[in-house]
Amino acid sequence: MISNAYAQAAPAGDAGFMGLLPIVLMFVLLYFLMIRPQMKRAKEHKQMVGALQKGDEVLTAGGVVGRITVMGDAYVSLEIAPGIEISVQRSAVQTLLPKGTMKSLK
C-alpha cells in the first residue's frame, strides 16, 4: 500500500565553486562601490590637510568659516571674525576655500 521512498542521487558537477561565486561577486562589488571610493576620499583629505598654510581660508566640519592664523601639529587657530580666534583640530578642516571667500560673506 505505501511505497518506499528512496533518496535521489546527488547531481554531478562542480557545485562548490558555483555556490561561492555570488559571495565573491558581492565582495568585489562592495570593494569597487564603497571601500575604494572611501579610501580615495580619505587620501585626498589627508593631502589637503597636510598642505594647509597660514592665511588659507577653510570650512570646518562644524560649518565654521575662518582664516588660519596659527598652525600646530594637531590643531590650527582660525580667525572667524576680526579679533576672534578659535582652535580646531586639523582633521576637522573639511574644505579649502578660494581666497577672498570671507570678504564676500560679510
Side-chain angles (χ1 to χ4, degrees), residues 13 85 88 96:
E85 290 188 13
V88 296
L96 181 63

Side-chain angles (χ1 to χ4, degrees), residues 21-32:
L21 188 61
I23 295 172
V24 171
L25 289 175
M26 284 192 302
F27 278 112
V28 169
L29 190 66
L30 178 75
Y31 176 77
F32 282 107

Side-chain angles (χ1 to χ4, degrees), residues 24-106:
V24 171
L25 289 175
M26 284 192 302
F27 278 112
V28 169
L29 190 66
L30 178 75
Y31 176 77
F32 282 107
L33 291 179
M34 294 180 70
I35 297 171
R36 190 167 179 247
Q38 184 178 1
M39 289 184 343
K40 184 178 177 184
R41 277 193 305 268
K43 182 180 177 183
E44 290 171 353
H45 182 259
K46 185 176 179 180
Q47 288 176 346
M48 186 268 303
V49 169
L52 290 176
Q53 299 175 0
K54 184 177 176 182
D56 285 344
E57 295 177 3
V58 295
L59 175 69
T60 66
V64 177
V65 176
R67 181 176 292 114
I68 297 176
T69 57
V70 178
M71 296 284 298
D73 290 335
Y75 293 92
V76 295
S77 290
L78 299 179
E79 182 180 26
I80 56 174
I84 299 174
E85 290 188 13
I86 60 171
S87 293
V88 296
Q89 290 182 334
R90 285 180 78 133
S91 60
V93 174
Q94 195 164 20
T95 308
L96 181 63
L97 299 173
K99 297 283 184 185
T101 302
M102 288 188 63
K103 289 180 183 178
S104 66
L105 295 176
K106 292 180 183 180

